[in-house]
Amino acid sequence: MTLAGNAVVARIADELGPGGMVATFGLVAGVLVFGLLVGRELLRLRDAPDQRFEVVDAALLPLLLAFAVAVAVRLYGLLAG
Amino acid sequence: MREVSPARGPFPQIEPSPTGGAIELVPSRRAGFFRAAAARGAQVAAAIGAPLVTGVSLAVWAVALRTVDVRGMDDLGLVSVLPPAVLVASILMVVAYLAEVARRSLRSRLLALLLAAVIVALYALPSAVESMPRIAVTWFHAGFGEHVMRTGTVAPELEARFNWPGFFILSAFITQIGGADNPLRLAHWAPLVFNLLYAPALLVIFRALTGDPRLPWVAILLFYLANWIGQDYFAPQAMTYLLHLTVLAIVLAAFPARGPSPLARLIRAVPKRWLRPGVAADLAQRPGRGVPATTRRSGLFVVTVLVFAAIVPSHQLTPFLTTAAIVTLILARRCSLLTLPVIMAVATAAFITYLTVPFLAGHLGSVLAEVGDVGATVGSNVTQRIGGSEQHRFVVAARLVFAVGLWLVAAVGGLRAVMSAPRDWTAVLLVVSPFPMLGLQAYGGELLLRIYLFSLPFTAFLAARVLVGERAAESVEPRRLAVPRTAVAVIAGAALVLSLMVTRYGNERVDLMTPDEVAAVERLYALAPFGSLLVGGAGNMPWKHHHYEQYDYFPVTDEILQGDPNAVADLMLDRRYAEAFLILTRSQRAYGEVLFGLPPDAWPHFESELASSPRFRLVYVNRDARIYQLVRAEEATSAGGRPGFGAHVADGRSLAGRGRP
């Protein structure tokens, strides 16, 4: 049981580190959020129609959430490690 | 400072002579002619007086500086060796600038030139009188840049600052394309260059905050007279401060929120007949200038994001302060970019959690431990700084009194800003916006200084409001300053120049790095093979500027304060290092005496203890530095443990000829 627990913890630690799934997905989500937000603001500055914002906002929210979770998990990992 | 208008002035009545060629004055009108000539003279003086006074003062300033002997400085700093001519010339430049601001019609280009002259007089002082880049940290930063130039990479594990390498990479790039071998070449005049670069951004910010054409010029002068913090040397924070001001300038000038602030909306609901005369009209206008076209705004938005993206990897603290300022502007309804803080937060969080791992892995716990401990932060930022020699305590007290005084004057200006129409909370909120950082961490005892710096533009703006006057601040029409107000401004300007010399350059004895110290450090690098342990009496010296990663450095300030050479030798006796050297310099001694109150005879006493210790061998000495090599036990036995070996070393020469290939 302990060995299995340790293995799970080690696996999570691996995924948090460079090249790990959580780290990579979090970074991709962050880059997408950054790009979408900049694009959204540029659209707004050019008085784009409202439908475009709906599409962008629908994509933004889950990505922002994913990025926030990845950041929190990485910070926790750094603190615990 | 009254101008005589040609239309109103008594011009001479000149009549043609009957012969047609010559001109003759009517005797009864001679007095009128002289009055007119005097009036014309006054006009000419008003037109060229300020630039003339500034030009002559600048020349006097430059000539007088040649007589300065920086070695004679005491613990009051640079002001203790400045000739009176330098101070008088600086004051005259400030007075000439204020006289120009007080003119009926503003000449912006001339004002910009006069301001540049004032900045030179105030901020080029140490660079002009010292031959080496000042402030020890400047040398470390040059070392980071040199590391990037030499290795083509960064080394975040070397030092916490290297986890934010933007500035060091940029300095390496500029040095390389300039054909130099070390970023140190950029460092000497950095304070002057950075302060000159701050001016355009500050002017845009102030112009966006007010419709009055005169107030921004007074505010910008106050900023420069109050910027004693000294964070404008060759350092990441100097560059990111410029970028921070640039972001604020773009946002304030190009992205005002549509519609009035919630507060203004509330006031507009009040029936106009209940308001003071003029207030209703004032509410109809927003301070500031026109908004650029849509295309240009898109471009400016992209520039804003890119500038912030340059801040994030360059400095630890600035991204948080810039984001706080933008959030403040949105709350004050002065920024329409509602998603900008989210963009900033995402960029900052991504960089910190992914690219500063070498720093966070060892320090995150201690960083988080300081969160919320405001008492400890204030303690380490204020009370622990009040110490050192008697003169230094005076300097620290002067800084505190000055800061509190400025904040009080700004508070008066802030009250006027929010209590008289058009009510504008923007500057007040921007003064306050950096303060929540106090709850995050102490930042090595420097956070309050940074907060002062980041709120300074708006503190200066509000204080300038008091000097310029409420009516003038509200008006969009050029309005001359009243004579009493001008007199107060001139007296305050002169007092502030003198105050700045004490508060800004009060640590100059510590910050000064002499050519002899630099020569000694170069000799140290020549003597010490790579992998050696280099020990300094303090970290305050011109070292680490090249081959940073090839040595281990260790300051032994506490042991020197105890006056115990054996404690120093024990620390140096680490078998991991083939060689260990101790270097003592003038700047370290100044550091101990000025900041820690080390008695004047303690340093020479420690040096004499070292000279008689069999555990140290003096290998180099000059006027400002000594280098000792640790004598290991086996070496001491074979050499017969001769004490006082170093007594035979001649000035500026080394007995150990072994150097790095």
Side-chain angles (χ1 to χ4, degrees):
Chain A
M1 197 62 184
T2 311
L3 280 175
N6 286 345
V8 170
V9 170
R11 181 63 194 269
I12 291 172
D14 283 347
E15 296 302 345
L16 285 171
M21 194 176 66
V22 174
T24 307
F25 181 69
L27 188 59
V28 170
V31 170
L32 286 174
V33 166
F34 187 83
L36 282 172
L37 282 170
V38 172
R40 186 187 191 283
E41 202 59 52
L42 284 172
L43 282 175
R44 197 185 61 78
L45 285 172
R46 290 178 171 277
D47 296 324
D50 287 347
Q51 305 91 284
R52 295 199 188 179
F53 292 108
E54 287 168 12
V55 175
V56 175
D57 289 346
L60 255 176
L61 284 175
L63 285 171
L64 195 57
L65 193 66
F67 175 68
V69 170
V71 166
V73 169
R74 277 183 71 78
L75 286 177
Y76 179 76
L78 284 167
L79 198 58
Chain B
M1 279 283 316
R2 256 193 87 177
E3 284 181 346
V4 177
S5 162
R8 281 182 254 153
F11 264 62
Q13 301 298 309
I14 301 171
E15 292 181 1
S17 73
T19 54
I23 301 173
E24 176 176 304
L25 290 174
V26 179
S28 62
R29 292 176 179 169
R30 192 170 288 160
F33 168 77
F34 285 119
R35 275 200 301 273
R40 171 67 74 183
Q43 268 186 314
V44 171
I48 65 164
L52 190 69
V53 169
T54 301
V56 171
S57 299
L58 199 58
V60 169
W61 176 88
V63 171
L65 278 184
R66 299 177 70 176
T67 62
V68 172
D69 175 19
V70 288
R71 299 186 69 86
M73 254 188 294
D74 62 22
D75 294 359
L76 280 177
L78 201 54
V79 75
S80 62
V81 291
L82 283 182
V86 170
L87 299 173
V88 172
S90 304
I91 291 170
L92 281 178
M93 279 186 253
V94 169
V95 171
Y97 175 89
L98 285 170
E100 186 62 31
V101 173
R103 274 174 59 94
R104 188 182 301 272
S105 57
L106 282 180
R107 298 181 290 184
S108 295
R109 287 181 187 170
L110 179 60
L111 270 174
L113 280 176
L114 299 184
L115 179 69
V118 171
I119 294 172
V120 168
L122 299 179
Y123 289 89
L125 262 181
S127 307
V129 298
E130 296 170 17
S131 54
M132 290 288 159
R134 57 197 281 273
I135 303 181
V137 188
T138 294
W139 295 73
F140 310 168
H141 290 165
F144 295 147
E146 190 269 348
H147 181 276
V148 174
M149 285 177 70
R150 185 165 38 80
T151 65
T153 185
V154 294
E157 70 284 351
L158 270 183
E159 238 254 15
R161 276 172 279 202
F162 232 157
N163 285 265
W164 285 264
F167 172 79
F168 308 121
I169 293 170
L170 181 67
S171 69
F173 174 70
I174 294 172
T175 307
Q176 210 148 27
I177 60 172
D181 57 350
N182 194 300
L184 210 50
R185 305 239 174 205
L186 306 173
H188 194 58
W189 294 95
L192 175 64
V193 172
F194 277 122
N195 277 288
L196 286 171
L197 290 174
Y198 295 157
L202 285 168
L203 208 53
V204 173
I205 289 171
F206 294 146
R207 281 179 168 173
L209 290 176
T210 179
D212 184 88
R214 190 163 280 109
L215 181 55
W217 293 103
V218 178
I220 202 167
L221 177 71
L222 267 185
F223 172 88
Y224 284 110
L225 289 174
N227 185 10
W228 56 263
I229 296 295
Q231 291 296 329
D232 40 30
Y233 60 99
F234 185 72
Q237 61 268 30
M239 183 188 79
T240 54
Y241 189 65
L242 171 65
L243 300 179
H244 167 85
L245 293 177
T246 307
V247 168
L248 291 191
I250 293 174
V251 168
L252 274 166
F255 301 102
R258 288 170 187 160
S261 69
L263 211 63
R265 262 189 245 165
L266 200 69
I267 296 168
R268 279 183 180 182
V270 177
K272 287 191 175 53
R273 64 176 180 280
W274 294 0
L275 297 175
R276 248 190 320 139
V279 171
D282 285 334
L283 280 174
Q285 68 191 24
R286 287 189 71 89
R289 301 197 161 193
V291 177
T294 301
T295 315
R296 193 170 290 178
R297 291 176 81 207
S298 301
L300 285 171
F301 171 70
V302 172
V303 170
T304 305
V305 173
L306 289 177
V307 170
F308 186 77
I311 293 175
V312 170
S314 300
H315 193 235
Q316 307 91 310
L317 200 60
T318 311
F320 294 97
L321 291 160
T322 308
T323 308
I326 296 298
V327 169
T328 302
L329 288 177
I330 288 171
L331 289 177
R333 297 280 296 165
R334 291 302 301 261
C335 171
S336 59
L337 300 171
L338 300 184
T339 55
L340 188 57
V342 187
I343 293 170
M344 291 173 157
V346 168
T348 308
F351 184 84
I352 288 177
T353 51
Y354 283 86
L355 292 170
T356 67
V357 170
F359 168 73
L360 287 181
H363 299 91
L364 187 58
S366 57
V367 168
L368 292 178
E370 290 181 8
V371 173
D373 199 353
V374 179
T377 300
V378 173
S380 65
N381 278 258
V382 181
T383 49
Q384 288 175 23
R385 286 183 170 266
I386 304 172
S389 67
E390 194 176 333
Q391 286 180 320
H392 181 67
R393 286 202 299 275
F394 171 77
V395 171
V396 175
R399 288 170 180 160
L400 286 173
V401 168
F402 180 85
V404 172
L406 184 69
W407 278 338
L408 285 176
V409 177
V412 175
L415 278 175
R416 287 183 179 179
V418 299
M419 294 187 75
S420 60
R423 291 162 202 261
D424 192 0
W425 286 81
T426 314
V428 176
L429 291 174
L430 284 168
V431 167
V432 177
S433 74
F435 279 86
M437 293 296 294
L438 277 174
L440 291 182
Q441 62 160 303
Y443 202 65
E446 284 194 8
L447 189 66
L448 213 50
L449 297 179
R450 306 301 172 95
I451 287 173
Y452 176 89
L453 179 64
F454 278 84
S455 62
L456 182 58
F458 311 102
T459 317
F461 178 80
L462 292 173
R465 241 185 112 99
V466 177
L467 285 179
V468 171
E470 191 181 337
R471 291 299 307 164
E474 290 167 14
S475 172
V476 293
E477 292 295 323
R479 193 190 300 258
R480 290 187 65 206
L481 300 183
V483 171
R485 219 174 266 284
T486 307
V488 169
V490 166
I491 292 167
L496 288 174
V497 168
L498 296 176
S499 152
L500 186 74
M501 295 298 146
V502 174
T503 52
R504 182 176 167 90
Y505 301 119
N507 287 5
E508 203 56 32
R509 199 185 144 211
V510 178
D511 294 338
L512 170 71
M513 301 292 148
T514 66
D516 278 343
E517 289 176 72
V518 175
V521 171
E522 291 303 339
R523 190 62 202 151
L524 174 68
Y525 285 129
L527 289 169
F530 287 153
S532 295
L533 175 65
L534 306 184
V535 174
N540 189 64
M541 59 181 293
W543 65 356
K544 301 183 181 178
H545 54 288
H546 57 74
H547 296 91
Y548 190 108
E549 79 285 5
Q550 299 291 351
Y551 300 97
D552 276 352
Y553 296 88
F554 196 76
V556 287
T557 312
D558 290 341
E559 288 71 19
I560 288 188
L561 289 174
Q562 290 160 14
D564 184 2
N566 281 324
V568 178
D570 291 343
L571 280 169
M572 292 170 70
L573 201 62
D574 187 328
R575 292 289 165 192
R576 286 176 299 171
Y577 304 104
E579 303 281 358
F581 292 85
L582 170 67
I583 179 166
L584 301 181
T585 65
R586 183 214 61 82
S587 52
Q588 294 169 2
R589 178 179 178 177
Y591 177 81
E593 290 178 357
V594 175
L595 303 182
F596 291 91
L598 191 71
D601 58 342
W603 195 269
H605 175 73
F606 183 74
E607 284 183 336
S608 66
E609 290 280 316
L610 278 175
S612 60
S613 168
R615 304 182 70 181
F616 289 96
R617 176 192 301 136
L618 183 65
V619 291
Y620 179 87
V621 62
N622 69 23
R623 184 168 55 158
D624 286 336
R626 286 164 179 251
I627 302 173
Y628 301 86
Q629 187 172 11
L630 181 71
V631 179
R632 298 189 188 277
E634 58 273 26
E635 199 181 340
T637 310
S638 64
R642 289 173 298 167
F645 184 76
H648 305 292
V649 179
D651 272 7
R653 289 190 297 114
S654 165
L655 291 182
R658 186 170 44 81
R660 197 173 55 237

